[in-house]
Amino acid sequence: MREDNQMLVITHLSQLLDLITGIGGFIVPLILWLTQKDKVLGMNFHGKMILNFQISMFIYSLICIPLIFLFGLGIIGLIGIALIMLILPILNAIKVGNGETPNYPLSIAIIK
């Protein structure tokens, strides 16, 4: 196994493809994780963390949709989720580039 922080940073930043394609932020990290988890040191940990975060944000978005009819609370939730999905991948890519451990709060541990 090789140590490749650049690949880990790219994996974290690839989540931002959701802004462009809508689903690329899930598919690209999934492909990178599946192909590189045995080759890059730490990719298994980071890949699982990213996929759990993406799945959790999708679930939270689905929960917010019916809440739109309840005084518009769902819109506030969706705006919050969008901000979280924009900010956290960038912050965690910076952390990984500096050799620190990333953190995705509010993630449900679905993939263990």
Side-chain angles (χ1 to χ4, degrees):
M1 292 186 101
R2 70 182 195 279
E3 188 172 331
D4 191 355
N5 280 349
Q6 288 180 340
M7 177 63 76
L8 297 176
V9 169
I10 290 170
T11 306
H12 284 277
L13 290 177
S14 67
Q15 296 175 77
L16 298 176
L17 288 171
D18 275 341
L19 301 173
I20 299 168
T21 64
I23 193 161
F26 180 78
I27 293 176
V28 173
L30 176 65
I31 292 170
L32 289 173
W33 173 58
L34 290 174
T35 59
Q36 300 296 315
K37 67 181 178 181
D38 296 328
K39 299 174 186 172
V40 176
L41 186 65
M43 179 60 86
N44 194 32
F45 171 74
H46 290 271
K48 288 178 184 177
M49 185 182 301
I50 291 168
L51 294 176
N52 283 332
F53 174 70
Q54 287 289 317
I55 293 168
S56 299
M57 293 298 112
F58 179 72
I59 291 170
Y60 297 144
S61 297
L62 290 179
I63 291 170
C64 286
I65 291 172
L67 292 177
I68 291 173
F69 301 111
L70 184 65
F71 306 113
L73 293 176
I75 294 172
I76 295 169
L78 289 172
I79 292 170
I81 290 169
L83 288 174
I84 289 171
M85 290 182 73
L86 174 69
I87 295 169
L88 285 181
I90 295 169
L91 290 177
N92 285 322
I94 293 169
K95 282 184 178 181
V96 169
N98 292 332
E100 300 173 27
T101 303
N103 182 24
Y104 286 101
L106 305 174
S107 290
I108 303 167
I110 296 169
I111 302 172
K112 297 182 181 195

